[in-house]
Amino acid sequence: MFFYSVLFPLAIDEGFVYRSDKRLKVGQRVLVDFKGRVRIGVVLKEEDEPDYQTKPVIEQLDEEPVVSCELIKTLEFFSFYFMAAKGMLLRSALPKKLFETKKPIDLKPVVASLEFRERPFKLNMQQEEIVNSIDTEGFSVNLIFGVTGSGKTEVYLSLIERVLRRGKKAVVLVPEIALTPQYIDVFSQRFSNEAISVIHSRLTGRQKFDNWIDFNTGRRPILIGTRSAVFVNFKDVGIVVVDEENDESYKQESQPLYNAKDVAIYRAKSVGIPVILSSATPSFETYYKAKTGKFRMFEMHQRVGGIRLPEVEFVRPDGDELFAKETLEAIGDTLNSKKTVAVLINRRGFSNYLVCGDCGYVFLCPNCSVSLKFHKKEDVLKCHWCDGVFEVFRSCPKCGSLNVLHRGVGSQMIEEELKRAFPGAVIERFDRDSTAKKGEFNRIINSLRDGKIDILIGTQMLSKGHDISQIGLVVVFDFESLFVMPDFRAEERAVSLIMQTAGRSGRREPGRVIIQLNSQDNPFLKYIKEHDYEGFVESGLKIRRLMNYPPFSRLIRVVSESTNKDKAWELIGLVKERLEGRFDFLGPSRCPIFRLRNRYRYHIIIKSSSIIEDIAYLKGSVYNELMKGKQKGGQGGLYFDVDPISFF
Ligand code: ADP
Ligand code: ZN
Ligand code: ZN
């Protein structure tokens, strides 16, 4: 008789032991009875005979393992590191269908339908040098730090080609679902369309499953995917690319909290292949690791074809006006020369909200302590945190007054103002909401390419489009509003966003950037003007060092939440007791969003100088003692966020 622990894609930390009269392999799927229900699980490891009654494995589903030992080891490690339930990681890692279909899955290698197309130009010297100095036969982490349009993509395309020619596969992680069609375009110009598999969360279950199989068998050996794609089997993978490595979407902000960039590097090390991190504005952490020799750094200072980076001007609107005179003039000039204007606004800073004209009450979401945003088109109020949609209040819930006022500058207001100033101009909006519909992102990108859009008003999304040469002017609407974030990365985020967006301008010929601001005192202006991201990071790192913030320490955020306010406070107090004397930490304090989806929230931020040891300690103390014990009187509990990005 053999014994195996079997893991299910559920919120559980460990596998459950079953017996089998046949020998099984780690990574095979089996059918078992789990808590009275027949379920599909994955064999985690062989066990000794336990001293309790075990249930039998009902059926072995696959001939060969569908999950590699290396992936299982990865899940084990990150379940430890991110303090996340192993079963939840398993669930993120594999297509759902794997746990629904009893049909055997066969991942035997098949011949790829590969084609290599000639690149229409020769690599320049800079590109050639980088491509030649990256060894694709062993592990290394390589940061390609190059200004927008310097030809970074071409560098990793060449490396991928080399790897594919040796019969290996390539994994390319991309930050945004909406961007995948653009990546597919670029890749299919070089390799046949049939060689590309795609994984992201907007595919149907069936599509995800098919793509997963096609990549794992090698039929489609180039994978383009968002963060969860990092969990495909890495057997025969020869290179991993993390494009726009600074993008925060590599971090999953719901359970299980994990960062795909870390997973990519960990796995590349396990299987001995290079990682390419690419960005015009690398994260402070990555930059610092590259600077101090932990990663390799390759810099690309020149744009392809020697095109200059755009001219940056700073202007201050007068009094109440939305746009400064200079801005309107520049927009007019750009439209006259048949080019597109992009206006960057900050989603968080720009929204309409309602306030009572008599008592000053701000209309809040009933489930969260944030103001509701007014959406004019649909005439509703929305909470951007819990996705609640509410009817527009006609009277103040606090004092009953009918004097309800609209406040804040919404993107609609900006649109109306521009329509007034430039009647006849074609104006489009470009943000999460306007591109949520399938195909919308591409429609806008294509209209842009065809020169059909005069003015594009957008959020963070604007910084992400690829090589849009049509943009002649970028306007940053309200510089200061980009900095309002409740954490130490606010500046990194804002400056990187501005530089990335500025990079969209004038990819073929030099463009202009106008930044509207209230004060010229900001110490970052000179770096922005000179496109000196490196100088900005160096100065920012000095402050991080002084404050002992990442990359000079690692953070662990502990959040307690409960529908009962006192319970949440009590729980975070217990955490504090256990941390005192051993850790340097901030808090406990209210989370910036104190109430979210009806739960009250407190947090503590631990500064760790020895992360693995500290996690091990937390697991043994706080985690095991406090997470397991169910709370009485209120729903909720604790969660841990290792290397947190969001502090809301
Ligand atoms: P990045 O990724 O750094 O923003 P890309 O790799 O997308 O830059 O390159 C920008 C544009 O320049 C693309 O249209 C690309 O095809 C083109 N390009 C890249 N390398 C060269 C080269 N050596 N010669 C001519 N054109 C190039
Ligand atoms: Zn009121
Ligand atoms: Zn809400």
Side-chain angles (χ1 to χ4, degrees), residues 121-124 127 147 149-154 304 467 507:
F121 48 77
K122 269 181 59 191
L123 291 184
N124 62 32
Q127 291 167 321
V147 293
S150 57
K152 298 184 289 297
T153 310
E154 202 44 57
V304 170
D467 197 16
R507 286 249 194 150

Side-chain angles (χ1 to χ4, degrees), residues 172-188 196-203 223-227 229 441-442 464 466:
V172 181
L173 299 182
V174 305
E176 181 80 46
I177 292 172
L179 287 176
T180 46
Q182 284 191 71
Y183 282 94
I184 294 169
D185 259 10
V186 171
F187 275 79
S188 52
I196 301 170
S197 41
V198 183
I199 292 184
H200 58 68
S201 62
R202 269 201 221 150
L203 299 178
L223 174 65
I224 297 173
T226 49
R227 64 178 173 254
F441 188 95
N442 274 343
K464 298 184 181 186
H466 255 226

Side-chain angles (χ1 to χ4, degrees), residues 612-642:
I612 297 286
E613 246 172 68
D614 288 345
I615 291 171
Y617 179 85
L618 289 171
K619 279 242 163 181
S621 58
V622 187
Y623 185 87
N624 284 340
E625 287 169 36
L626 301 178
M627 295 274 280
K628 296 275 157 68
K630 278 266 171 283
Q631 284 185 83
K632 290 182 210 89
Q635 286 181 328
L638 278 184
Y639 71 85
F640 294 79
D641 189 355
V642 179

Side-chain angles (χ1 to χ4, degrees), residues 39 45 52 63 79 110 112 304 316 323-324 336 405 418 426 455 490 510 526 577 580 587 589 612 639 645 648:
R39 277 191 176 276
K45 60 171 181 281
Y52 50 83
E63 235 13 78
S79 140
V110 298
V304 170
R316 209 177 128 190
F323 289 99
N336 284 338
L405 306 174
L418 288 170
V426 178
I455 304 176
K526 66 169 188 287
E577 268 172 31
E580 258 159 356
S589 58
I612 297 286
Y639 71 85
I645 288 189
F648 282 107

Side-chain angles (χ1 to χ4, degrees), residues 168-407:
K168 299 275 186 179
K169 305 190 277 188
V171 172
V172 181
L173 299 182
V174 305
E176 181 80 46
I177 292 172
L179 287 176
T180 46
Q182 284 191 71
Y183 282 94
I184 294 169
D185 259 10
V186 171
F187 275 79
S188 52
Q189 276 163 31
R190 287 292 292 285
F191 314 105
S192 65
N193 210 11
E194 284 66 49
I196 301 170
S197 41
V198 183
I199 292 184
H200 58 68
S201 62
R202 269 201 221 150
L203 299 178
T204 64
R206 179 85 239 170
Q207 288 171 324
K208 220 189 267 181
F209 187 57
D210 290 348
N211 275 282
W212 183 85
I213 290 188
D214 282 346
F215 179 76
N216 284 333
T217 60
R219 183 193 306 279
R220 294 171 176 268
I222 305 168
L223 174 65
I224 297 173
T226 49
R227 64 178 173 254
S228 72
V230 77
F231 290 114
V232 288
N233 284 337
F234 263 38
K235 187 171 175 292
D236 292 329
V237 171
I239 190 167
V240 192
V241 176
V242 182
D243 201 28
E244 308 294 351
E245 72 84 31
N246 62 296
D247 199 284
E248 297 188 340
S249 70
Y250 290 118
K251 172 76 190 289
Q252 173 149 304
E253 291 294 357
S254 56
Q255 296 292 343
L257 302 165
Y258 71 91
N259 193 321
K261 196 167 34 167
D262 298 329
V263 179
I265 294 171
Y266 177 91
R267 301 191 71 188
K269 191 169 181 188
S270 301
V271 300
I273 58 171
V275 181
I276 310 296
L277 306 175
S278 171
S279 180
T281 57
S283 66
F284 280 27
E285 281 95 334
T286 297
Y287 174 90
Y288 184 71
K289 282 182 187 150
K291 204 69 187 177
T292 51
K294 212 168 162 212
F295 297 168
R296 295 179 74 195
M297 167 127 69
F298 299 96
E299 295 184 60
M300 297 172 84
H301 296 291
Q302 300 296 323
R303 280 182 152 188
V304 170
I307 293 167
R308 270 185 300 119
L309 284 158
E311 205 65 55
V312 181
E313 302 147 63
F314 301 103
V315 306
R316 209 177 128 190
D318 269 341
D320 291 347
E321 58 185 27
L322 290 181
F323 289 99
K325 209 166 66 256
E326 296 93 323
T327 311
L328 292 175
E329 264 171 34
I331 295 177
D333 291 348
T334 311
L335 296 182
N336 284 338
S337 61
K338 302 275 172 261
K339 294 218 143 116
T340 302
V341 177
V343 180
L344 174 72
I345 60 171
N346 175 27
R347 180 178 179 194
R348 293 199 197 283
F350 290 88
S351 47
N352 268 322
Y353 57 96
L354 305 186
V355 38
C356 171
D358 289 333
C359 75
Y361 174 79
V362 175
F363 289 52
L364 299 180
C365 172
N367 309 316
C368 314
S369 46
V370 296
S371 60
L372 290 166
K373 310 298 182 207
F374 176 58
H375 287 238
K376 190 175 176 187
K377 256 199 202 118
E378 299 141 273
D379 193 31
V380 291
L381 296 167
K382 286 189 191 172
C383 172
H384 290 174
W385 287 90
C386 69
D387 294 325
V389 180
F390 306 91
E391 232 180 280
V392 178
F393 297 93
R394 303 295 161 202
S395 63
C396 170
K398 212 170 156 198
C399 74
S401 159
L402 292 174
N403 184 16
V404 174
L405 306 174
H406 288 247
R407 280 288 154 74

